[in-house]
Each structure stands twice: as C-alpha cells, then as structure tokens.
C-alpha cells in the first residue's frame, strides 16, 4: 500500500514537472518568436518602468507617458489605477505600438488596497499565518479588480533598529518569523495561478539588507559579514522566492562597497546562480540614477553596471531607456544582456496571461463589486484586533465595561487619515473612520464618548508638518499648550475612564521617516501626565509604526495597548479589544528597547566572551552599559492577554537524536484566567557548542492556539536536523553534532528549557 502510494506520488510529480516543462516550452517559443521581431530599441523599451505620477517617492516623475507607450518605450506603469484609466493606457500599447506588447501595471499594495489592514509590523504581531495569507489574498482581489496585476510587496527586510522608519513595513527583527510571513504573503497575492484575473505578481523587496542601514538612517550604507547575511538577513527573501514570488526589487543601499542595484554578486551569483531565481528583477525608484551619487559614474556608466549586474527593469529613472543603445553601440553592454532583461519582462507578462488578454484585469463590474466589501472589512477588523499588543494591564484595568462615559483624548483620537498607517497609498483617507468614530460605531449608545485634541502631535510645528504629509493631517492648535490640556481635562471631568490616544502619526514611520528620539513627543507626555493626575483610570492606546521607548509610560500608566496603525477598521477594533469582545493576543515582532542607546537590539544576540551573569544588571568588565541594564523594556514575542497562560511539563520524547530522527517536544499550556483566549506558544533553540559562535536563542517554531478558560492543551513541536542547521564559515548549510537547548514559552524571555544532543 505504502509502495503504491509512493509510486503514485512520484508519478504525480513527474507529470506535473512534464506539464511545467511543456508550459515553459510554449512560453519560450512565443517569446523567441516575439523577440525575433523586436528592434533593440523596442527591447530596451520593455525595460522601462514609469510611474503615472500619482504616488511618488522621489523627485523624478515620468513624463510623456502616452507618446512613449506608442513608441514602444514603456514596459510597465505603476501607480495608475481603475479599469478605465488602465484600459486606456493598455489600448495605446496594444493598438498603437508596433508590436502590440501589453503593459504590466504595478502598485505598492502593501497592507491592503482599499480595505486597509494593519501595517506589516502589526500584521506580524498577529503571528497568525492563515490570517496574514487571507489579508494578502483580499489585497490581490481588490487591486486586480481595479486593474492592477503586480504589487511591490512583500517587504521582508529584517530590521533591528527602530530608528529606521521602514521597520513599520516589514515583519520585524526575526529571521524565522519573517520568512514564514513572506511565504504566506506571496501565496496570498499570487494564489495558485498567476494567470487568474484575481491574482497579482508579488515583488519581494528590498533586495537586500536594506533594514540594516547604518544608524537607522534611511538609504544609508550596509556593511555586513557573509555569516550574518546568510544566517539572519537573507532567508526571508529566499523564503518568498521559494514560495514562488515572480519578481524581486533591488534595494537602494550600498552592500559592502557595491550598491545593491549594481551588485553582480547579489543579483547574479547569489540570486540567479545559487538560488536559481527565474523571475523579474526590478530596481527601486530611480535606484539606477542614484548610483551616480553613490559614486559609480555617470548615467551611461551606472546603467551599464546595473544591467550587467542583473537588473532587468529600471524604475522611473530611464537610465536604461536613454543610454543602453549607446552602450551597445560602443560595445559596453552586449545584446545578450539586453535580451536577457527583455525576456524576463516578457515572461512576467506571459505568466500573467496579458498576451492572451491584455484587458483581463479591466472589469468595471469587478471594481464595483469586489472592493471594500463587508466581508473584506470584517477581515480588516479581525486582523486589526489581533495585531494589537497589550503591553501592560495593572489590576485588570482592561477590559472596560460597556457603560458610563469614556473620554478619548489626544492628537490621534480624531484623525481618520492617520488610521491606515504608512504605505497605504490607495486608502480612501477621507472616508476612513477616526478612532472616536470607529469606537462610537462599534459601541452604539451603550457608552457615552467625549473627546478632545488634548495636545498637538508635537510642539514643533515644522516637525508636525513633516510627520503628517500625503494628506495624513492632524489638526493643530497653536494656543498655549497648557490651555489645550486644561480644556481636555475639563472635557474628561465626568468620564469614568480616560483613553489617551497618543503616539506617532502614520508618517512618523515609513520611508524617509527615521527618528533619533523614540519617546512619545513631549507635548503628548505632558498631556498624559495631566490625565494621570485626574486620578481616573487611564488607558494608553498607543499608535506606533515602530517600537517606541516607553520606560516612563510603563512605570506610570496602568494599561497600555499598542495598536500600531490598524487600517480601515482601527476604531472598531480598538473598541472590540478595550471592551473585551476580543481578547488581545498580539505578540511583539520586534524588541522594545528601554532607550535609543540600546539600538540595535534583538533577542537572538550572541553570548560574547564576557556575558553578564544571570540576573545581574551591571558587572565591571562584562558586556553591558554603565547607565542602563541590557534588558529590553519588552522582549521579542511579548504580549499580554486578559487571561493567564501557565506553562508546565516540558517534555522531550528522547534525549538525543541522529540526523535522520525527529524529536517531539511537548508542553502543557493552561488557561488559568477568566477569559477564553489565544496564546502564541513559542519555541526557541540554542546550539551550545560549535565551530562558530551562535545566537543564545533562535525562534524555530510557534503555534497560535485558542484555549478556553480553565482548559489546558498539550502543544507538540517536532524538530529535525533541518532546524539545527546554519551556514558555516564556508557558507555550507550544515548541522554540527553536540548539545542543544530548547526553550518554550510565552515570549523570548519567559521560557522553560531542556537539553538534547544531536549525534552522528
Ligand atoms: C520604495 C519602494 C517602492 C517604490 C515604488 C520606493 O521609494 O523604496 O518600496 O516600492 O518606491 O513606489
């Protein structure tokens, strides 16, 4: 029976491989035929990606788009939306250009299209893989219904430095968690068939190591050992490609002396030769041109370098369009190199089915019926509620009772435009409910809500302007700050509880939004102090696109709910959690430091030769600081619930395994509190002795489980040699026999541990 099953299985694999081979052959024939008719100029035209000019992240905007389409000088357009506009542009291409090659249409669909989900860092905090996949699926349905077929997502850059504004766009600090999420997002976008009209081609970004920009300053240099790169930073990109992502975006940053966009080792040796990637390589926005400022030469030279390194498509800067023909004539690039790039662009279009039907994504009917549906909004509300992380809850301040008067005070209380969070370019800001309106809509007339601005986002008007760009406004009141606070306190005087809606505005994180001070701005802190002085219970509902430094708040505020930016349904989801309809289950995907001086900070650090003794916070000549302990404020994986989970009975089914074996590790998790709830059970490993130094803990598994109050569940993990492997100094992916520790717990700090051996 088993043999028969195996034979059937092998036969299925062979037949699917044959099917793929046949499809590839068909595609190759089609593209060979097409390319045999193309002039060099037309081939170079395919490498040109322009923006429709609606959403830009640089100073350059594409011009003369219409005449360029007709001339065959455009391969793709991004940030153009709606079936009618896209149909018009596509008609120009297929009716007016010589070879009628359709255009590919892209967009930054990062955490939802019109139905906006939490920012990616928030989605990561759900640790809920099926949910994350569903959000990407919905994003693909909506965006493709509006004419698009390509998204510049997932962003999988690991970041351990919260100063970097773009930490908000990724899944945080951890290699394993980010890799798992990368996979789910790609599957969600691309579905099971890229040629269906409700899927999008995914674009993994930013390749590579963008999240390790020095000092957390955006676009800054990255300099990293191969050892760290392979073990910690590269796996999420690889995971996304292994899940089938058909395109990848080069990053802006310099990597060990060669910027990513001109880096042959990265884009060809690693990506094509080692990883066997056969999809499209596109640059980031004007990244080819920026090689000039990196100091690699003039536009002709940098375009040549970039093409030769392995770039196929040039975003916005038109360096390829304007210089490659000259470089070909001068013998600086070869026709094979141009052909290679052109082929990858055409293959992407072929896989999307655009040659069969260039208008397959242009359905007014779909645009009308499949965007912002009640079902999508329901998912957005669920995702938001699950992304919130309860950081503190003294004396069960939360959940609140649905009665009496609640004062919602603070600069984030009445701004719908800030709820979607950064990189939600297609969000309908005018129609997004503010926190207060969302809460009112969720609570009906059970609770009376009063509200006040309370303080400006920051006292510094110029900083507030920089932090509220792209229509993400927050009202500003330029009266004496104390007068505003007094008014707010007066508004709250009859309230039973105060919700302080404070933190960052949405554009305080994201691209080009690095910060050196991660405290809640002074203006808001003064407000918070005044609110606490009223003696009423105060709940801090904290908006943040990154880990903030909350040492003071942690000491002084009884309850803190970190809500990131929750998307379209933020307000309702906050009400769900504050009033106990949803029990919070989010866990931090990035460490929250005590202060900025601890950055970069991450749990999976090395032991060093002079580790601090357990429970000591300072020892002379040990690895620590004079003025603050090594501990974070909140560790990776941390997050409270309204209930209590206790862990016991950690058991291994053997004390040692061979490379062929697997090890079962189980733990009993009991819900000891008064609420049903979800818990993320986390498993970490440590390789104790080896040929090179290894992290003190690495996440290698997790399970999100629902446990009813009073009930207990046995959670079982299976570990095999694959989980024990790492890249050694020769960059071989190997395991080394010896002792390992396994840790299981509710976060990366509070764990139970056991040991086992890997034997030869
Ligand atoms: C960002 C990318 C984005 C691109 C296109 C760039 O500035 O770095 O993440 O996909 O713009 O909008």
């Amino acid at each position: 029976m088993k043999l028969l099953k195996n034979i059937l299985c092998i036969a299925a694999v062979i037949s699917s491989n044959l099917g793929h081979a046949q499809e590839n052959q068909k595609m190759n024939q089609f593209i060979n035929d097409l390319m045999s008719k193309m002039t060099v100029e037309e081939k170079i035209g395919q490498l040109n990606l322009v923006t429709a000019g609606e959403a830009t992240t640089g100073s350059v905007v594409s011009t003369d788009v219409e005449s360029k389409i007709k001339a065959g000088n455009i391969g793709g357009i991004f940030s153009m939306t709606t079936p009618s506009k896209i149909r018009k542009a596509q008609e120009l291409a297929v009716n007016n250009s010589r070879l009628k090659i359709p255009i590919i249409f892209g967009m930054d669909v990062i955490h939802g299209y019109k139905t906006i989900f939490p920012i990616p860092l928030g989605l990561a905090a759900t640790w809920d893989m099926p949910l994350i996949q569903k959000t990407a699926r919905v994003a693909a349905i909506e965006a493709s219904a509006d004419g698009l077929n390509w998204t510049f997502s997932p962003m999988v850059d690991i970041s351990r430095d919260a100063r970097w504004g773009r930490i908000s766009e990724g899944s945080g600090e951890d290699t394993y968690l980010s890799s798992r999420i990368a996979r789910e997002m790609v599957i969600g976008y691309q579905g099971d068939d890229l040629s269906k009209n409700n899927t999008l081609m995914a674009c993994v970004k930013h390749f590579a190591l963008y999240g390790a920009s020095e000092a957390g300053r955006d676009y800054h240099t990255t300099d990293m050992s191969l050892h760290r790169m392979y073990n910690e930073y590269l796996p999420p990109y690889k995971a996304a490609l292994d899940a089938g992502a058909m395109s990848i975006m080069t990053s802006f940053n310099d990597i060990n002396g060669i910027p990513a966009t001109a880096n042959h080792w990265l884009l060809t040796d690693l990506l094509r030769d080692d990883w066997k990637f056969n999809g499209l390589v596109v640059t980031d926005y004007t990244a080819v041109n920026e090689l000039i400022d990196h100091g690699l030469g003039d536009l002709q030279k940098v375009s040549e370098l970039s093409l030769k390194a392995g770039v196929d498509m040039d975003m916005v800067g038109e360096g390829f369009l304007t210089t490659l023909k000259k470089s070909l004539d001068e013998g600086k690039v070869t026709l094979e190199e141009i052909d290679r790039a052109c082929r990858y662009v055409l293959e992407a279009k072929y896989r999307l089915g655009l040659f069969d039907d260039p208008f397959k994504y242009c359905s007014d009917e779909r645009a009308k019926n499949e965007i912002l549906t009640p079902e999508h909004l329901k998912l957005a509300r669920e995702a938001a509620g699950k992304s919130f992380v309860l950081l503190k809850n003294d004396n069960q301040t939360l959940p609140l009772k649905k009665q009496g008067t609640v004062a919602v005070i603070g600069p984030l209380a009445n701004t719908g435009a800030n709820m979607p969070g950064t990189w939600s370019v297609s969000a309908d800001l005018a129609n997004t409910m503010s926190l207060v309106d969302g809460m009112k809509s969720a609570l009906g007339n059970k609770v009376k809500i009063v509200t006040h601005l309370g303080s400006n986002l920051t006292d510094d008007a110029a900083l507030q302007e920089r932090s509220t760009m792209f229509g993400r406004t927050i009202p500003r009141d330029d009266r004496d700050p104390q007068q505003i606070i007094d008014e707010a306190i007066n508004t709250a005087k009859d309230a039973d509880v105060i919700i302080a809606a404070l933190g960052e505005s949405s554009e305080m994180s994201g691209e080009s939004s690095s910060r050196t001070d991660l405290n809640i701005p002074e203006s808001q802190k003064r407000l918070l102090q005044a609110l606490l002085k009223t003696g009423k219970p105060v709940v801090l509902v904290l908006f943040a696109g990154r880990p903030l430094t909350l040492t003071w708040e942690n000491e002084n505020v009884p309850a803190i709910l970190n809500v990131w930016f929750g998307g379209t349904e933020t307000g309702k989801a906050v009400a769900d959690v504050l009033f106990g309809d949803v029990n919070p289950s989010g866990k931090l995907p990035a460490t929250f430091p005590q202060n900025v001086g601890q950055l970069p900070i991450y749990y999976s650090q090395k032991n060093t030769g002079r580790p601090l003794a357990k429970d000591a916070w300072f020892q002379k000549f040990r690895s620590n600081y004079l003025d603050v302990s090594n501990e974070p404020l909140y560790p990776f994986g941390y997050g409270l619930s309204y209930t209590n989970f206790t862990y016991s009975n950690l058991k291994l089914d053997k004390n040692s395994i061979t490379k062929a074996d697997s090890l079962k590790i189980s733990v009993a998790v009991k819900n000891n509190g008064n609420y049903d709830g979800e818990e993320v059970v986390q498993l970490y490993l440590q390789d104790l002795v080896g040929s090179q130094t290894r992290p003190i803990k690495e996440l290698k598994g997790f399970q999100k489980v629902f446990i009813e109050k009073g009930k207990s569940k046995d959670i079982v993990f299976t570990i095999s040699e694959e989980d024990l492997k790492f890249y050694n100094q020769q960059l071989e992916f190997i395991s080394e026999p010896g002792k390992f520790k396994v840790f299981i717990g509710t976060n990366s700090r509070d764990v139970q541990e056991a040991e086992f051996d890997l034997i030869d």
Side-chain angles (χ1 to χ4, degrees):
M1 190 63 193
K2 205 171 165 199
L3 184 69
L4 183 66
K5 251 192 181 162
N6 284 344
I7 292 172
L8 286 176
C9 199
I10 292 168
V13 170
I14 292 174
S15 110
S16 129
N17 284 346
L18 276 177
H20 281 142
Q22 271 166 4
E23 272 167 38
N24 277 342
Q25 212 185 359
K26 223 173 113 198
M27 176 172 78
N28 289 342
Q29 263 164 17
F30 177 86
I31 291 174
N32 289 345
D33 185 44
L34 179 58
M35 284 180 64
S36 70
K37 297 181 199 133
M38 292 173 83
T39 63
V40 173
E41 287 81 358
E42 282 166 337
K43 288 175 180 171
I44 293 172
Q46 285 303 307
L47 318 186
N48 194 27
L49 174 63
V50 300
T51 169
E54 284 168 13
T56 55
T57 55
S59 50
V60 183
V61 178
S62 308
T63 52
D64 297 331
V65 172
E66 186 169 334
S67 53
K68 281 179 188 150
I69 297 176
K70 289 185 188 161
N73 281 338
I74 283 178
I77 299 182
F78 77 99
S79 291
M80 177 181 276
T81 60
T82 69
S84 59
K85 282 195 203 159
I86 289 181
R87 178 177 285 277
K88 238 168 117 189
Q90 193 71 296
E91 274 169 1
L92 286 175
V94 299
N95 297 337
N96 296 69
S97 72
R98 193 180 72 91
L99 289 172
K100 310 185 184 326
I101 300 174
I103 291 171
I104 185 172
F105 291 92
M107 179 111 178
D108 288 278
V109 182
I110 308 294
H111 47 110
Y113 180 63
K114 291 281 179 196
T115 302
I116 304 294
F117 299 104
I119 56 167
L121 194 62
L123 275 179
T126 68
W127 296 56
D128 188 329
M129 299 302 113
L131 177 82
I132 290 175
Q133 186 183 123
K134 275 190 220 157
T135 66
R137 184 84 289 278
V138 164
I141 290 171
E142 293 198 353
S144 63
D146 217 18
L148 299 161
N149 40 48
W150 188 18
T151 176
F152 303 140
S153 173
M155 190 279 217
V156 302
D157 305 323
I158 297 285
S159 179
R160 293 161 175 189
D161 192 331
R163 290 173 296 183
W164 192 52
R166 302 197 80 170
I167 192 172
S168 56
E169 292 176 51
S171 300
E173 74 183 44
D174 185 59
T175 313
Y176 178 82
L177 180 61
S178 298
S179 301
R180 291 276 306 265
I181 292 172
R183 182 186 147 74
E184 299 298 334
M185 305 239 0
V186 170
I187 295 173
Y189 290 136
Q190 297 196 163
D192 54 5
D193 181 355
L194 203 50
S195 74
K196 283 191 182 154
N197 70 355
N198 67 358
T199 55
L200 298 177
M201 178 165 76
C203 183
V204 190
K205 68 187 191 187
H206 306 82
F207 196 54
L209 319 178
Y210 184 26
S213 297
E214 271 175 15
R217 205 180 79 203
D218 210 357
Y219 317 124
H220 205 352
T221 304
T222 296
D223 201 308
M224 190 185 285
S225 70
L226 287 171
H227 159 76
R228 167 162 276 177
M229 230 188 254
Y230 272 72
N231 283 304
E232 299 167 31
Y233 280 74
L234 292 177
Y237 305 103
K238 178 77 165 46
L241 299 180
D242 288 346
M246 285 315 298
S247 68
I248 191 163
M249 185 185 292
T250 68
S251 57
F252 289 125
N253 54 289
D254 180 3
I255 299 177
N256 299 351
I258 310 282
T261 304
N263 198 314
H264 188 277
W265 169 79
L266 184 75
L267 303 181
T268 297
D269 301 352
L270 179 68
L271 183 65
R272 298 283 189 202
D273 298 346
D274 288 359
W275 290 0
K276 309 282 178 238
F277 177 60
N278 65 353
L280 175 64
V281 178
V282 62
T283 70
D284 203 343
Y285 201 103
T286 60
V288 172
N289 314 58
E290 290 168 26
L291 297 171
I292 302 172
D293 280 329
H294 273 290
L296 296 193
D298 62 13
L299 188 59
Q300 184 182 353
K301 179 70 189 170
V302 296
S303 303
E304 167 202 325
L305 287 172
S306 189
L307 178 78
K308 282 181 162 316
V311 165
D312 303 319
M313 209 172 196
D314 173 8
M315 189 191 283
V316 178
E318 302 202 333
F320 280 13
L321 188 74
T322 54
T323 70
L324 283 188
K325 176 69 176 43
K326 185 162 183 268
S327 294
L328 179 69
D329 294 343
E330 291 170 1
K332 292 182 172 145
V333 302
T334 64
L335 188 57
E336 288 69 47
E337 284 158 345
I338 294 172
D339 279 352
R340 177 217 73 216
C342 177
R343 182 175 291 275
Y344 282 122
V345 175
L346 296 176
E347 283 185 2
K349 295 179 178 184
Y350 186 95
R351 290 197 174 98
L352 287 164
L354 287 170
F355 288 108
D356 287 336
D357 179 3
F359 303 104
K360 60 191 286 193
Y361 302 90
C362 298
S363 151
D364 292 322
E365 197 56 25
R366 281 193 62 207
K368 211 168 82 209
N369 297 330
E370 296 183 21
I371 294 176
L372 283 168
T373 65
E375 200 189 313
H376 295 176
L377 291 169
K378 189 167 163 244
L379 184 70
R381 184 165 173 174
E382 183 194 344
K386 286 191 167 182
S387 74
F388 302 160
V389 184
L390 184 63
L391 296 175
K392 191 178 169 195
N393 191 21
D394 273 3
N395 307 320
Q396 301 201 313
T397 309
L398 292 174
L400 305 172
K401 294 206 176 65
K402 284 186 195 161
Q403 62 185 40
T405 302
V406 174
V408 185
I409 309 285
L412 274 305
N414 288 290
T415 163
N418 277 269
M419 298 299 100
T422 193
W423 262 132
S424 49
V425 280
S426 42
D428 181 356
L429 298 184
N431 289 312
T432 304
M433 279 190 196
S434 66
L435 172 65
V436 165
D437 288 343
M439 287 179 68
K440 281 184 180 161
S441 136
L443 295 166
N445 47 22
K446 289 199 190 110
V447 176
K448 181 175 174 207
I449 294 185
V450 293
T451 183
H452 196 277
L453 177 70
S455 82
N456 284 317
L457 179 70
T458 148
D459 290 323
D460 180 343
L463 175 58
Q464 173 153 347
E465 202 183 323
R466 289 197 292 276
S467 306
T468 49
M469 293 171 84
F470 314 121
R472 319 277 166 146
T473 47
I474 292 187
R476 194 166 172 87
D477 186 335
D478 282 320
R479 288 179 298 159
D480 171 26
Q482 191 53 47
Q483 207 183 333
I484 311 174
I485 291 179
D486 291 344
E487 262 182 28
I489 299 297
N490 192 42
T491 302
K493 69 178 188 309
D494 296 325
D496 301 295
V497 56
I498 298 175
I499 309 293
L502 310 180
E504 295 189 306
S505 59
S506 86
E507 298 315 301
M508 273 169 120
S509 65
E511 186 169 352
S512 187
S513 294
S514 293
R515 296 178 65 200
T516 61
D517 176 352
L518 300 184
N519 287 324
I520 291 178
E522 253 335 286
S523 56
Q524 300 188 45
K525 191 118 116 282
R526 283 195 308 267
L527 168 64
L528 185 56
Q529 280 159 345
L531 296 174
L532 287 165
K533 263 209 206 126
T534 63
K536 295 176 192 284
V538 174
V539 178
L540 171 56
V541 168
L542 182 74
F543 290 83
R546 51 156 66 83
L548 295 178
T549 46
L550 302 167
T551 312
W552 187 89
E553 290 76 6
N554 185 54
E555 266 163 31
N556 293 286
V557 186
I560 308 177
L561 182 69
N562 186 78
V563 299
W564 316 106
F565 290 92
T568 311
E569 296 293 89
T570 299
K572 292 179 197 160
V574 169
D576 293 341
V577 172
L578 291 182
F579 291 88
D581 290 332
V582 169
N583 187 353
S585 60
K587 301 275 189 172
L588 297 178
T591 304
F592 274 42
Q594 295 187 59
N595 65 23
V596 166
Q598 288 184 312
L599 296 173
I601 190 169
Y602 52 98
Y603 80 94
S604 57
Q605 55 189 286
K606 302 282 185 74
N607 206 33
T608 81
R610 292 189 174 193
L612 200 55
K614 207 169 189 280
D615 298 329
W617 89 254
F618 176 79
Q619 289 176 294
K620 196 67 189 166
F621 305 121
R622 294 267 132 190
S623 180
N624 49 210
Y625 302 101
L626 276 178
D627 55 349
V628 68
S629 78
N630 287 350
E631 290 303 309
L633 182 62
Y634 305 119
F636 174 81
Y638 173 85
L640 303 173
S641 161
Y642 294 153
T643 193
N644 257 321
F645 295 103
T646 48
Y647 285 64
S648 64
N649 211 10
L650 177 63
K651 275 195 306 219
L652 277 51
D653 72 343
K654 340 180 169 49
N655 295 326
S656 60
I657 55 167
T658 68
K659 291 183 179 180
D661 282 342
S662 60
L663 174 69
K664 281 205 175 357
I665 303 161
S666 63
V667 69
V669 181
K670 178 151 196 231
N671 180 342
N672 269 324
N674 293 323
Y675 300 85
D676 299 342
E678 283 188 293
E679 166 72 331
V680 181
V681 183
Q682 302 162 39
L683 178 142
Y684 299 85
L685 289 176
Q686 182 187 13
D687 188 350
L688 284 169
V689 181
S691 59
Q692 66 187 44
T693 59
R694 307 296 326 285
I696 53 172
K697 250 176 219 156
E698 285 176 292
L699 184 71
K700 289 291 175 181
F702 59 86
Q703 290 179 39
K704 185 157 188 169
V705 287
F706 172 80
I707 308 178
E708 280 172 41
K709 63 181 171 197
K711 293 270 163 60
S712 177
K713 267 193 186 158
D714 288 330
I715 310 297
V716 182
F717 291 93
T718 307
I719 290 286
S720 69
E721 193 221 352
E722 206 54 27
D723 302 299
L724 310 178
K725 285 183 173 173
F726 64 97
Y727 288 93
N728 67 10
Q729 295 295 300
Q730 289 70 45
L731 300 180
E732 297 151 339
F733 193 51
I734 55 141
S735 66
E736 291 178 341
K739 263 202 187 326
F740 289 80
K741 264 192 183 172
V742 56
F743 310 88
I744 295 195
T746 182
N747 61 55
S748 60
R749 181 190 59 201
D750 303 313
V751 288
Q752 320 243 325
E753 60 177 81
E755 277 187 11
F756 67 91
D757 287 290
L758 175 69
I759 47 180
D760 252 336

